[in-house]
Amino acid sequence: MSQYPWERPLGARPLDDRLTEFRVWSPRSEPKLILGSGRKPSGAVPLDHAGYGIYEVVAEAPPGTDYRYLIGNRRLPDPASRWQPQGLRGPSRVYAPSPPRAFTAKPLAEQVIYELHVGTFSAEGTFSGAIPHLPVLAELGVTAIEIMPVAEFPGARGWGYDGVYLSAAQSSYGGPGGLQQLIDAAHEAGLAVILDVVYNHVGASGNTALDLFGPYFTEKYETFWGRALNYDDAECDPVREWVLQSADGWVRDFGFDGLRLDAIHAIFDSSVEHIVEAVARRVHAVGRRKFVIAESGLNDPRVMRSHARGGYGCDAAWADDFHHALRTLITDEHDGYYAEFGRVGQLAKAFHRPHVHDGDYSEVRKRRFGAPADDIPPSRFVVFCQDHDQVGNRAFGDRLPPLARSLAAFCVLLSPFTPMLFMGEEYGEDAPFQFFSDHIDKRIADATRKGRRAEFAAFASFGQEVPDPQDLATFEASKLSRKVDPELAALYAELLRARRELADQEQGEIAFDEDERWLRVQRGAYELVCNFGAGELSLRRPEARMRLGTHPEVTLRRGRLTLPPLSGALLMAGGPKA
């Protein structure tokens, strides 16, 4: 028993094959429990008030029983639901997770992460549909899959960042049972599984329902996407616990090996223990090598510093600056937030630590931004050349141009950081990844369409012709075609093999030439050489031999390295080799 009743398990917890313990926080109205899927409230079960707005009861309800809470005259799902078989507006269902299989993830320094969206990763668009593709990823050298959010969201398709029921696996993907099958299959293939979770807001479709229970939101702050969750205002403790139980439940009960926390810069919390720090503490308490990876737009090393040093204790953080520095060199794009990137020296700085902005002045923000992160080991930064944001948040969801893909992969996979691939990039997928949704509220659907167009005001070249997120065709166009570019697929396989060779190689000198557009990065006995220019580059490397080149035209003959435009070479110490 905990000191406060909200610290006990929230939601529906099966005690055996007949009885379930129900517990809900509802300080605004005394709830009643309705068992079964009928609409008549005559079978309402009274609950005991345990104090602080917590109501609880043990009732005869075996796993698989549908239930709702009666609040006034409204029948509402459980805020801590684990299963919404009929979607957001349907009943909750009692779920008893099967014990997850034993699995220990590799250390972060050995991870190669693969981000995927369940709905577009396979033709079926389900958890089970993803399973046949996992062994191929493991054989390639991927060590972990990172699943975009699956907390129950509106409709049957979407990115998942507008989820409402934080602990319920999306019904259209196969629900919690299907999710457990996917995790078990991934572990069987030797792959860790990371879940993308959203704890900065919930989808607007759930605001009214949650409001009827209690103050899940605060008026003190506003996020980019809607009302801020109540982490530090009056009656915030049960809200914090609702989130924390969601986090440790995914890891403990479903067997996830880690969580990726979406946009923690949009979480507002002045508590003594920030909610991100609390999530990291709870996840790490579950078991060995359970990761917490933050998406932070702050370039703040405090996110990864230990609790003892005043940090949040996250294991890693996404590094957008590395992406921006790389993309602007290989595509020459300079709209929007790319405007202050595009110099080779910035990527050289990012190869040391990915905070290009580490306290200097940002022209886009019109202020100093970021902080140095030299005390953070390189493996604790996650880098990428494509991800759901940097592809899907383009007007048309287009991927990297074909001419840029090889050098981009070379820089990401041979960096000292933890690399992440976006589904399909490893074989040259050309299908776009567009922004799509299936909002069940017309007002929200219309606002999403308008907001999508407004988002690209800073990107002059995109104009206003943005695909309709609500159109089924937008979603269908984003499914992987699985048409393979054999040369690029072979390069990815070779780069991943080479990465394993570089694992113990310390990073050394980083040199560049802004005018000639080349970059050299020393990794122990190896050297990365990149040509970001539009013309052929010739450099003397008399003490080196070739390990690999991104293109057949990359050559090292008689001590002279020749690199065509947008290409790279991995060299080894040991003298010239024809």
Side-chain angles (χ1 to χ4, degrees):
M1 298 293 286
S2 303
Q3 179 179 2
Y4 299 106
W6 65 77
E7 294 177 334
R8 302 172 203 145
L10 300 170
R13 183 173 64 131
L15 303 178
D16 53 32
D17 59 3
R18 186 176 65 88
L19 298 176
T20 294
E21 179 183 65
F22 296 87
R23 186 172 290 111
V24 64
W25 180 57
S26 182
R28 287 181 172 163
S29 180
E30 181 175 348
K32 288 184 173 58
L33 175 66
I34 304 174
L35 296 175
S37 55
R39 295 182 58 84
K40 294 183 179 180
S42 56
V45 177
L47 295 94
D48 298 322
H49 188 210
Y52 298 95
I54 295 289
Y55 292 85
E56 59 189 16
V57 71
V58 173
E60 189 165 333
T65 300
D66 287 346
Y67 70 100
R68 284 186 172 104
Y69 286 108
L70 182 65
I71 303 287
N73 62 356
R74 298 281 299 273
R75 291 170 292 278
L76 301 170
D78 181 357
S81 170
R82 278 191 162 169
W83 193 1
Q84 291 296 121
Q86 298 175 37
L88 291 186
R89 301 290 190 255
S92 302
R93 182 170 291 174
V94 178
Y95 183 71
S98 301
R101 61 176 291 141
F103 183 84
T104 301
K106 295 178 182 292
L108 195 61
E110 299 177 24
Q111 294 287 354
V112 175
I113 302 172
Y114 186 94
E115 185 187 25
L116 65 88
H117 174 268
V118 173
T120 55
F121 182 64
S122 69
E124 299 85 352
T126 60
F127 296 129
S128 61
I131 291 174
H133 302 286
L134 300 181
V136 175
L137 296 179
E139 184 179 355
L140 177 64
V142 170
T143 63
I145 58 171
E146 180 176 306
I147 302 173
M148 287 175 63
V150 301
E152 191 73 33
F153 56 78
R157 59 187 183 274
W159 278 21
Y161 295 94
D162 51 359
V164 173
Y165 297 107
L166 304 185
S167 300
Q170 176 68 15
S171 52
S172 62
Y173 291 166
L179 177 59
Q180 286 204 278
Q181 291 174 5
L182 172 59
I183 296 170
D184 286 346
H187 287 166
E188 179 69 27
L191 297 169
V193 190
I194 299 166
L195 177 64
D196 196 342
V197 293
V198 183
Y199 294 149
N200 49 58
H201 77 296
V202 300
S205 296
N207 287 358
T208 300
L210 291 175
D211 263 335
L212 290 170
F213 283 96
Y216 279 85
F217 308 100
T218 175
E219 302 302 323
K220 289 168 60 176
Y221 318 106
E222 188 79 11
T223 77
F224 305 113
W225 309 282
R227 301 173 68 187
L229 289 172
N230 178 16
Y231 289 129
D232 65 2
D233 209 345
E235 298 185 275
C236 67
D237 295 300
V239 181
R240 295 171 66 89
E241 189 63 23
W242 173 63
V243 168
L244 293 173
Q245 288 189 22
S246 167
D248 64 30
W250 287 124
V251 176
R252 181 190 62 247
D253 298 334
F254 283 82
F256 278 102
D257 302 288
L259 302 178
R260 180 262 189 189
L261 309 184
D262 178 65
I264 67 168
H265 50 274
I267 293 176
F268 301 97
D269 185 7
S270 61
S271 304
V272 172
E273 183 182 44
H274 193 282
I275 191 66
V276 171
E277 183 180 358
V279 167
R281 173 175 55 80
R282 291 282 279 264
V283 169
H284 291 151
V286 173
R288 179 169 167 257
R289 291 201 194 136
K290 298 295 187 180
F291 302 123
V292 177
I293 302 173
E295 181 199 23
S296 170
L298 302 176
N299 280 17
D300 187 351
R302 175 179 53 170
V303 170
M304 291 172 281
R305 287 181 181 144
S306 67
H307 305 305
R309 296 188 58 205
Y312 292 167
C314 293
D315 299 284
W318 279 22
D320 281 353
D321 276 11
F322 188 94
H323 169 272
H324 301 345
L326 177 59
R327 182 168 191 125
T328 51
L329 288 176
I330 57 179
T331 66
D332 202 30
E333 295 178 31
H334 298 289
D335 280 339
Y337 50 73
Y338 294 152
E340 56 190 355
F341 290 90
R343 299 190 300 278
V344 180
Q346 291 172 314
L347 185 58
K349 184 177 182 179
F351 258 98
H352 172 66
R353 291 295 186 277
H355 288 185
V356 174
H357 285 303
D358 58 2
D360 61 353
Y361 189 81
S362 165
E363 287 291 344
V364 169
R365 298 171 181 85
K366 303 300 180 187
R367 62 181 178 88
R368 294 170 70 95
F369 181 72
D374 289 2
D375 60 315
I376 307 298
S379 63
R380 296 180 66 185
F381 295 92
V382 176
V383 300
F384 41 86
C385 59
Q386 300 185 56
D387 73 347
H388 75 271
D389 274 329
Q390 305 303 336
V391 175
N393 281 335
R394 297 172 66 80
F396 304 107
D398 49 308
R399 293 169 177 262
L400 275 178
L403 291 177
R405 293 173 182 175
S406 297
L407 183 53
F410 179 88
C411 291
V412 168
L413 292 178
L414 300 186
S415 77
F417 312 114
T418 297
M420 184 178 75
L421 311 181
F422 183 59
M423 60 176 192
E425 75 164 84
E426 75 279 11
Y427 60 78
E429 178 64 60
D430 281 327
F433 185 70
Q434 298 176 337
F435 181 73
F436 47 83
S437 58
D438 187 25
H439 285 294
I440 55 180
D441 299 297
K442 185 179 184 303
R443 175 183 56 83
I444 298 173
D446 291 342
T448 300
R449 290 188 182 99
K450 293 176 183 176
R452 182 68 177 164
R453 294 188 180 99
E455 185 177 352
F456 294 97
F459 290 79
S461 62
F462 288 164
Q464 296 296 310
E465 298 177 11
V466 180
D468 180 358
Q470 288 285 115
D471 189 340
L472 178 61
T474 305
F475 167 72
E476 293 290 347
S478 301
K479 282 186 174 283
L480 297 183
S481 70
R482 299 196 176 272
K483 294 178 182 176
V484 176
D485 175 342
E487 289 186 7
L488 187 63
L491 176 63
Y492 267 83
E494 189 59 33
L495 287 170
L496 284 165
R497 283 191 287 270
R499 178 176 179 81
R500 293 191 286 274
E501 296 174 22
L502 269 62
D504 299 325
Q505 302 292 314
E506 292 291 330
Q507 182 133 307
E509 179 189 12
I510 301 173
F512 66 95
D513 188 298
E514 204 69 64
D515 294 328
E516 294 191 358
R517 307 278 283 180
W518 57 256
L519 170 69
R520 290 192 293 107
V521 179
Q522 199 73 35
R523 296 284 311 276
Y526 295 80
E527 183 182 49
L528 284 67
V529 187
C530 305
N531 177 17
F532 295 100
E536 184 177 272
L537 177 68
S538 178
L539 295 173
R540 278 186 50 77
R541 311 308 295 157
E543 304 301 322
R545 59 190 177 92
M546 180 84 76
R547 167 62 179 84
L548 67 85
T550 57
H551 299 75
E553 297 82 6
V554 176
T555 59
L556 178 61
R557 295 191 177 97
R558 297 184 177 86
R560 182 161 293 277
L561 176 66
T562 302
L563 292 167
L566 294 183
S567 68
L570 178 64
L571 307 180
M572 303 171 62
K577 209 175 216 187

